[in-house]
């Protein structure tokens, strides 16, 4: 099929105001062979359904539906809910097609429901091996699916792309898209363009080389593969765009071992402009993070821009051919991905109609880019930023603060935003009537400490080239209070033309939900405060709130069945912040936990949730700390490298995974070793670390956790004890 012809005809229909509902024009889809290019290109006119990840190829997450609006939202109530069979982070955007709702959950499972009644239709479990969790930087999450023809497509944590029959949930085909001997994972949603399923992957905390690839929707045959960074060595046989990139890397070091694959993973955002026929991908951070190890210069510090890290790259979707790029953070070293939500819109800037691309990447600046050429238009900070003082409008390059660039030695730097960014994967939304972009933003700085003797380990644990244990917050009440106070979460209504916030809503803490904007003048968002809220899109006034019993991080969708408007959101706390940030600091902001559940609302909905279970916590009752300071220090270093990213820094306990200070196995060296060395809990996600940690090191980690537990027990009872 000729994509441009279809795109043109859909645009014509739209402009004629005829495309009120795709299913009226193109048939219901079911009998005709399902989702087509014309339906995807014209998705904006099909308000009944939600057929692609960001609702439209422009990824605006704006629905014109207006039955639920400023005046009626007070009558919004729970229509139905469905409990999920996983208790980890839920980040998915559901799809809704002809009265059926489809979603992915943690552990890459898929479920289908009657979208009006909640009746379960089918479910599919790809049986991801539990120990795959150790390859995932940021929880065992999945952010969604794509639809094409009569199939649904999604990626699994262990790197498979699976096509399911949409009616039955039966597997149509399955393809391994990554080298499974390496720490590649898939958590992002695929997109489909003209029968090609596009999917990337993650793993840049572990050493992988990033790429995005296209597969034939009919049979899973790989059609093209686009690497985001060069392979290392002599680039003479590489495609031209990678030869150009090679000039910005130390090619002797890149790819020299599995820990220095370069990174640049395409783990989340994509957008598509059918008129320009350009696919936009968001490219991630370097691997390892620390450029001094990833691309060292002559003096031992890092050198080079390291293309195409932290870039937005425009690709021809039919061939995978490079068209243009814009790099947000040249020579990135702070985990400043540009994988955050990419959104397309047309707007008047300086008296000219511009086709723009917008992004609020981790680095804290909101960018407006010309999406035809990749030329910089403007950028301003949407949160507190100290790594750069601004973006040079002539070159589009940041004006860096040299104090914040940490190499192999020297002073640590407290950098804001930190590795979690000023905005992470949580989708933004756009209101065309307000011309506002709503950003789920937050502030959480990070201490980047040099690691002079960093050694790669590709078997287990992060490979970032910094000392990850250096930022642990000690058991000191005043200090902990102060750090907790610096953590902020907010909903920012950003004017992309003026490049400033029009209004801001403060939340209890960081890591709030993705967004939906509607024609009813509303913005919907879940919060770390376990609420699901509706705000006035023009003013930010809170108009409605639902007690969700759990943190909500996923973005809502809206749709109609028989003309009645529904709003659905997958609730369930988790993800990078929930796992990798000190759980005591998180809980000081809001006592959040995971109850994984799909919540669906409509006007006059009368369903109620079961009573909220009590927030039970095991007692903090560790054995006495008897190990030597040397053993505890060894345990602290190994904990920081191998344990902290899932069980929280300082062994304080995450808000999702077990608090090790309260673990029963803390009492017994044998029981502890059975888990950490023997892999007894591997099916739950706790892999064996025998390949990376000796029995002595594992026992040292136990000694460290016992020491920390005793410090915190003393803190709880108001005393302070010095570590022996
Ligand atoms: Ca990363």
């Amino acid at each position: 099929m000729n994509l441009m012809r279809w795109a043109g005809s859909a645009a014509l229909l739209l402009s004629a105001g005829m495309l009120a509902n795709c299913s009226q024009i193109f048939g219901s889809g079911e009998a005709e062979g399902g989702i087509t290019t014309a339906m995807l290109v014209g998705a904006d006119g099909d308000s009944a359904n939600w057929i692609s990840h960001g609702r439209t190829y422009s990824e605006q997450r704006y629905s014109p539906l207006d039955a639920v609006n400023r005046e009626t939202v007070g009558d919004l109530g729970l229509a139905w809910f469905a409990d999920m069979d996983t208790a980890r982070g839920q980040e998915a955007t559901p799809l809704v097609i002809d009265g059926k709702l489809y979603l992915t959950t943690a552990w890459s499972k898929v479920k289908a429901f009657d979208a009006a009644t909640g009746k379960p239709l089918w479910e599919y479990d790809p049986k991801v091996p539990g120990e795959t969790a150790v390859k995932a930087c940021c929880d065992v999450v999945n952010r969604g699916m794509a639809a094409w023809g009569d199939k649904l497509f999604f990626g699994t944590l262990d790197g498979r792309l699976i096509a399911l029959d949409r009616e039955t949930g039966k597997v149509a085909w399955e393809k391994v898209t990554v080298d499974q001997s390496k720490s590649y994972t898939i958590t992002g949603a695929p997109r489909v363009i003209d029968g090609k399923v596009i999917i990337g992957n993650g793993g840049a905390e572990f050493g992988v080389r990033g790429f995005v690839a296209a597969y034939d929707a009919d049979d899973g045959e790989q059609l093209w593969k686009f690497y985001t960074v060069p392979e290392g060595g002599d680039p003479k046989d590489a495609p031209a765009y990678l030869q150009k990139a090679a000039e910005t890397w130390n090619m002797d070091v890149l790819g020299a071992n599995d820990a220095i694959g370069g990174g640049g993973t395409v783990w989340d955002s994509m957008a598509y402009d059918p008129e320009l026929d350009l696919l936009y991908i968001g490219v991630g951070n370097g691997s390892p993070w620390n450029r001094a190890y990833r691309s060292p210069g002559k003096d031992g510090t890092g050198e080079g821009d390291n293309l195409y890290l932290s870039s937005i790259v425009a690709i021809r979707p039919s061939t995978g051919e490079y068209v243009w790029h814009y790099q947000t953070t040249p020579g990135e070293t702070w985990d400043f991905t540009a994988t955050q939500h990419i959104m397309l819109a047309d707007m008047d800037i300086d008296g000219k109609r511009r086709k723009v691309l917008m992004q609020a990447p981790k680095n804290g600046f909101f960018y407006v880019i010309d999406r035809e050429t990749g030329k910089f238009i403007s950028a301003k900070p949407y949160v507190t930023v100290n790594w750069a003082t601004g973006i040079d409008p002539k070159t589009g390059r940041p004006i860096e603060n040299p104090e914040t660039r940490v190499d192999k030695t020297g002073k640590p730097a407290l950098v804001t935003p930190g590795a979690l960014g000023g905005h992470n994967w949580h989708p933004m939304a756009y209101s065309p009537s307000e011309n506002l972009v709503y950003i789920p933003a937050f502030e959480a700085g990070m201490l980047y400490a040099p690691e002079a003797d960093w050694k790669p380990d590709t078997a287990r644990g992060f490979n970032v080239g910094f000392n990850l244990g250096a930022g642990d917050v000690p058991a000191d009440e005043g200090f902990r209070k102060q750090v907790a106070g610096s953590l902020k979460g907010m909903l920012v209504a950003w004017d992309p033309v003026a490049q400033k916030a029009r209004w801001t809503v403060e939340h209890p803490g960081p890591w709030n939900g993705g967004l939906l904007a509607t024609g009813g003048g509303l913005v919907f968002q879940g919060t770390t405060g376990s609420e699901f809220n509706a705000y006035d899109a023009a003013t930010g006034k809170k108009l409605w709130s639902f007690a969700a019993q759990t943190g909500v991080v996923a973005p809502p969708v809206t749709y109609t069945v028989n003309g009645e408007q529904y709003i659905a959101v997958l609730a369930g706390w988790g993800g990078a912040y929930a796992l990798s940030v000190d759980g005591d600091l998180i809980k000081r902001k809001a006592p959040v936990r995971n109850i994984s559940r799909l919540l669906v609302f409509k006007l006059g909905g009368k369903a109620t949730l079961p009573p909220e279970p009590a927030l039970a916590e095991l007692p903090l009752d560790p054995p006495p700390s008897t190990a030597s300071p040397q053993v505890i220090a060894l345990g602290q270093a190994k904990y920081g490298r191998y344990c902290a990213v899932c069980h929280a820094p300082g062994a304080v306990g995450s808000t999702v995974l077990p608090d090790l200070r309260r673990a029963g196995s803390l009492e017994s060296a044998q029981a502890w070793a059975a888990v950490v060395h023997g892999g007894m809990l591997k099916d739950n996600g706790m892999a064996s670390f025998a390949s990376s940690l000796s029995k002595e090191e594992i026992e040292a980690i136990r000694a460290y956790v016992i020491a920390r537990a005793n410090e915190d027990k003393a803190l709880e009872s108001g005393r302070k004890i010095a570590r022996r």
Side-chain angles (χ1 to χ4, degrees):
M1 138 181 6
N2 181 319
L3 182 61
M4 288 313 295
R5 189 167 56 78
W6 277 101
S9 63
L12 200 70
L13 287 164
L14 272 170
S15 63
M18 288 168 64
L19 203 61
N21 185 329
C22 267
S23 57
Q24 290 166 9
I25 289 169
F26 299 107
S28 73
E30 303 284 280
E32 308 298 324
I35 303 295
T36 62
T37 293
M39 290 167 75
L40 287 167
V41 171
D44 191 40
D46 180 13
S47 59
N49 295 313
W50 189 290
I51 63 173
S52 82
H53 190 61
R55 186 168 177 271
T56 57
Y57 274 141
S58 62
E59 306 269 331
Q60 291 183 357
R61 291 183 180 262
Y62 169 80
S63 165
L65 290 178
D66 60 3
V68 181
N69 58 43
R70 291 182 177 103
E71 283 70 43
T72 62
V73 70
D75 293 331
L76 195 62
L78 193 64
W80 58 272
F81 67 92
D83 287 323
M84 298 295 122
D85 56 355
T86 61
R88 299 287 292 265
Q90 308 294 351
E91 298 186 351
T93 300
L95 297 184
V96 180
I97 304 169
D98 294 334
K100 291 169 186 167
L101 184 150
Y102 309 93
L103 59 79
T104 56
T105 73
W107 292 111
S108 327
K109 297 183 185 186
V110 185
K111 296 178 193 299
F113 299 93
D114 180 305
T117 66
K119 183 184 162 215
L121 301 176
W122 54 258
E123 56 185 20
Y124 174 73
D125 179 358
K127 301 208 165 17
V128 170
E131 54 194 320
T132 312
V134 80
K135 295 181 173 182
C137 69
C138 306
D139 206 349
V140 296
V141 295
N142 189 286
R143 285 183 292 276
M145 283 177 291
W148 172 262
D150 57 4
K151 297 188 189 75
L152 295 169
F153 308 90
F154 71 105
T156 65
L157 196 70
D158 56 348
R160 290 172 282 160
L161 180 64
I162 297 179
L164 298 179
D165 181 294
R166 181 150 52 82
E167 268 310 292
T168 63
K170 295 265 181 310
V171 175
W173 54 259
E174 176 173 334
K175 179 101 181 175
V176 176
T177 67
V178 301
D179 177 350
Q180 288 179 315
S181 74
K182 297 184 175 163
S183 289
Y184 283 104
T185 52
I186 299 179
T187 57
R191 310 295 198 278
V192 178
I193 299 171
D194 199 26
K196 294 176 182 66
V197 189
I198 323 277
I199 188 77
N201 45 61
E205 272 58 61
F206 302 88
V208 307
R209 180 186 180 205
F211 66 88
V212 58
Y215 300 85
D216 189 318
D218 288 336
D219 56 14
E221 185 198 345
Q222 185 184 299
L223 302 172
W224 53 257
K225 189 172 191 177
F226 180 95
Y227 280 102
T228 57
V229 298
E231 193 176 14
D234 187 344
K236 71 175 182 345
D237 295 327
Y241 80 96
L242 285 179
Q243 292 191 28
K244 187 178 152 198
E247 293 165 16
T248 68
W249 287 84
N250 181 332
M251 292 295 281
D252 297 331
V253 171
L254 181 62
N257 64 56
D258 277 351
I260 311 180
T265 50
V266 184
W267 56 264
D268 196 48
S269 71
M270 292 184 241
Y272 176 57
D273 183 327
E275 280 181 36
L276 298 172
D277 192 28
L278 289 177
L279 163 70
Y280 307 99
I281 59 165
V283 182
N285 57 278
S287 194
W289 293 356
N290 191 337
R291 188 180 59 162
Y293 285 108
R294 187 179 73 233
S295 185
K298 287 189 184 69
D299 61 357
T301 67
E303 71 169 20
D305 286 354
N306 294 184
L307 290 172
Y308 296 90
L309 298 182
S310 306
S311 299
I312 295 156
V313 183
I315 296 175
R316 200 64 71 196
S318 50
T319 57
E321 172 200 355
Y322 164 94
V323 180
W324 59 253
H325 77 276
Y326 174 79
Q327 189 172 38
T328 58
T329 312
E332 97 78 24
T333 198
W334 305 276
D335 189 17
F336 282 170
T337 62
T339 54
Q340 281 55 53
H341 187 170
I342 294 173
M343 183 190 283
L344 315 181
D346 295 352
M347 59 188 65
D348 294 325
I349 298 175
D350 295 333
K352 257 174 68 186
R353 196 74 179 160
R354 301 291 294 265
K355 291 176 188 291
V356 307
L357 178 157
M358 298 179 286
Q359 190 186 49
K362 276 190 187 177
N363 77 13
F365 289 91
F366 186 93
Y367 292 83
V368 179
I369 305 288
D370 183 319
R371 73 171 180 271
E372 292 188 84
T373 61
K375 289 268 174 347
F376 175 86
I377 295 175
S378 62
K380 284 283 189 263
Y382 62 90
V383 288
T384 306
V385 169
N386 78 347
W387 72 276
T389 55
I391 310 296
D392 183 325
K394 283 209 178 66
T395 62
R397 292 177 70 92
I399 305 153
E400 258 188 50
N401 169 7
E403 307 264 297
T404 60
R405 208 173 253 284
V406 175
D407 297 316
K408 294 179 184 174
T409 56
K411 279 192 307 186
L414 183 60
V415 182
T416 174
L420 290 165
H423 165 222
N424 206 289
W425 62 269
H426 313 77
M428 309 187 294
Y430 176 68
S431 165
S433 58
E434 301 293 330
N435 198 34
L436 286 175
V437 178
Y438 304 97
I439 314 170
F442 58 90
E443 304 209 341
M446 174 168 162
L447 190 78
Y448 292 77
E451 167 102 59
D453 301 315
W454 176 72
K455 296 278 181 301
D457 179 351
T458 50
R460 289 283 182 264
F462 271 27
N463 277 302
V464 299
F466 290 113
N467 176 2
L468 285 179
D472 293 359
V473 183
D476 175 301
E477 179 59 25
F479 196 53
R480 298 194 73 80
K481 236 181 174 159
Q482 194 190 336
V483 178
S486 74
L487 299 171
K488 295 192 172 106
M490 53 269 186
L491 166 57
V492 179
W494 191 260
D495 179 335
V497 177
Q499 282 284 18
K500 61 179 189 193
R502 194 176 299 167
W503 52 259
T504 298
V505 171
E506 302 277 337
H507 290 316
W511 211 252
N512 300 283
L515 293 163
L516 165 70
T518 71
L522 299 173
V523 176
F524 288 89
Q525 186 184 29
T527 74
T528 184
S530 298
E531 291 180 342
F532 181 55
N533 296 334
Y535 303 90
D536 186 318
T539 65
K541 186 179 176 205
K542 193 202 277 190
L543 300 177
W544 173 84
S545 183
F546 178 83
Q549 303 184 355
T550 179
V552 180
V553 293
V557 299
T558 187
Y559 57 91
T560 62
V561 183
N562 300 324
E564 193 167 23
Q565 185 182 356
Y566 293 80
I567 290 159
V569 69
L570 185 55
W573 178 248
Y577 177 80
L579 260 54
S580 68
V581 169
D582 186 317
D584 172 66
L585 300 180
I586 294 176
K587 282 182 263 189
R588 280 167 190 257
K589 312 295 291 186
V592 63
R593 39 81 178 274
N594 181 295
I595 299 175
S596 290
R597 187 181 268 160
L598 176 66
L599 305 171
V600 181
F601 302 89
K602 66 174 184 178
L603 293 176
K606 293 277 186 288
T608 53
L609 293 180
E612 186 172 355
L615 198 58
E617 206 154 44
L618 295 167
L620 189 54
D621 193 18
S625 180
T626 57
S628 73
Q630 290 78 10
V631 168
I632 292 171
L634 173 68
Q636 178 173 16
K638 295 298 173 187
Y639 181 94
R641 174 84 185 253
Y642 293 101
C643 315
V645 293
C646 287
H647 291 280
V652 169
S654 90
T655 45
V656 179
L657 295 184
D659 180 345
L660 300 182
R661 297 169 307 169
R662 301 168 202 270
S665 56
L666 207 55
E667 298 281 347
S668 151
Q670 286 77 14
W672 186 264
V675 174
V676 186
H677 194 272
M680 198 174 79
L681 298 178
K682 69 180 167 61
D683 293 340
N684 298 359
M686 175 59 199
S688 161
F689 282 72
S691 55
S692 298
L693 293 166
S694 69
K695 285 199 164 151
E696 289 69 32
E697 288 166 336
I698 285 168
E699 179 58 10
I701 291 172
R702 189 175 76 97
Y704 165 67
V705 176
I706 288 172
R708 285 288 303 111
N710 278 283
E711 287 173 352
D712 289 339
K713 191 179 176 188
L715 184 69
E716 276 184 8
S717 60
R719 287 183 297 116
K720 282 186 193 153
I721 56 164
R723 192 178 292 169
R724 298 185 317 122

